[in-house]
């Protein structure tokens, strides 16, 4: 596994981000959405890069007037799964939220995404609500939340 660096995404990363999104079912971010978030001062789009390739990313949203940040999306390339990159991306999202003055983090995830659900539970997130038919394809979701230590 190459050394992995986390950094802010740039417009030049758009093709790699779209290729990464193509590997996931439903509810994918479009090029238009990525461009919007790249330019949005209340969004933190960060990538994990190793060996010259984008191996994963997270998108954190910071709504004005809220003490909660929202982890809108997190993805790890299939070739990099099982190496702890999801944990690193989640920890980075939490650090970005704290740096922006947020005291908590919320997110939604498909109920059938066992790896993601295990990641959030292991990181101390609590299930706050079931979200029936939450996703475009009718899949159910969970809403998770966590207070951020040190925030």
């Amino acid at each position: 596994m190459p050394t992995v660096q986390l950094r802010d995404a740039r417009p030049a990363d758009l093709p790699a981000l779209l290729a990464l999104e193509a590997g996931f079912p439903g509810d994918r971010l479009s090029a238009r959405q990525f461009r919007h978030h790249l330019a949005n001062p209340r969004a933190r789009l960060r990538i994990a890069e190793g060996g010259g390739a984008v191996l994963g990313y997270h998108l954190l949203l910071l709504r004005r007037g809220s003490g909660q940040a929202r982890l809108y999306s997190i993805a790890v390339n299939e070739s990099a799964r099982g190496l702890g990159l999801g944990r690193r991306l989640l920890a980075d999202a939490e650090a970005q939220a704290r740096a922006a003055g947020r005291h908590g983090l919320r997110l939604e995830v498909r109920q059938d995404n066992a790896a993601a659900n295990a990641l959030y539970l292991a990181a101390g997130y609590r299930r706050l609500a079931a979200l029936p038919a939450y996703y475009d394809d009718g899949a159910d979701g969970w809403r998770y939340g966590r207070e951020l230590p040190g925030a």
Side-chain angles (χ1 to χ4, degrees):
M1 173 77 180
T3 301
V4 176
Q5 301 293 324
L6 299 179
R7 65 167 173 82
D8 293 339
R10 302 182 288 253
D13 297 318
L14 186 58
L17 288 166
L18 290 171
L20 184 58
E21 280 290 286
F24 292 91
D27 287 353
R28 292 184 204 114
L29 288 165
S30 67
R32 181 174 180 257
Q33 289 170 305
F34 274 122
R35 282 192 294 273
H36 168 78
H37 293 304
L38 281 164
N40 181 355
R42 287 186 300 278
R44 304 290 183 270
L45 180 55
R46 306 256 301 156
I47 67 165
E49 183 177 54
V54 172
L55 302 175
Y57 80 88
H58 75 73
L59 174 58
L60 185 73
L61 302 179
L62 306 165
R63 196 172 74 212
R64 191 184 328 232
S66 175
Q68 299 283 326
R70 181 174 179 215
L71 182 61
Y72 188 78
S73 186
I74 187 169
V76 174
N77 186 300
E78 189 173 351
S79 68
R81 290 188 191 146
L83 302 173
L85 194 49
R87 283 190 303 277
R88 281 191 64 192
L89 286 164
L90 181 58
D92 186 72
E94 291 172 348
Q96 294 289 317
R98 280 192 301 275
R102 301 314 195 264
H103 60 79
L105 187 61
R106 300 277 170 98
L107 61 97
E108 296 82 29
V109 65
R110 293 172 67 100
Q111 288 185 14
D112 61 4
N113 187 337
N117 281 284
L119 170 69
Y120 300 128
L121 290 170
Y125 284 78
R126 291 181 305 112
R127 284 186 182 152
L128 303 175
L131 305 170
Y134 183 75
Y135 291 94
D136 287 343
D137 64 359
D140 297 332
W142 291 115
R143 177 166 293 125
Y144 285 93
R146 178 175 184 231
E147 293 301 306
L148 298 174

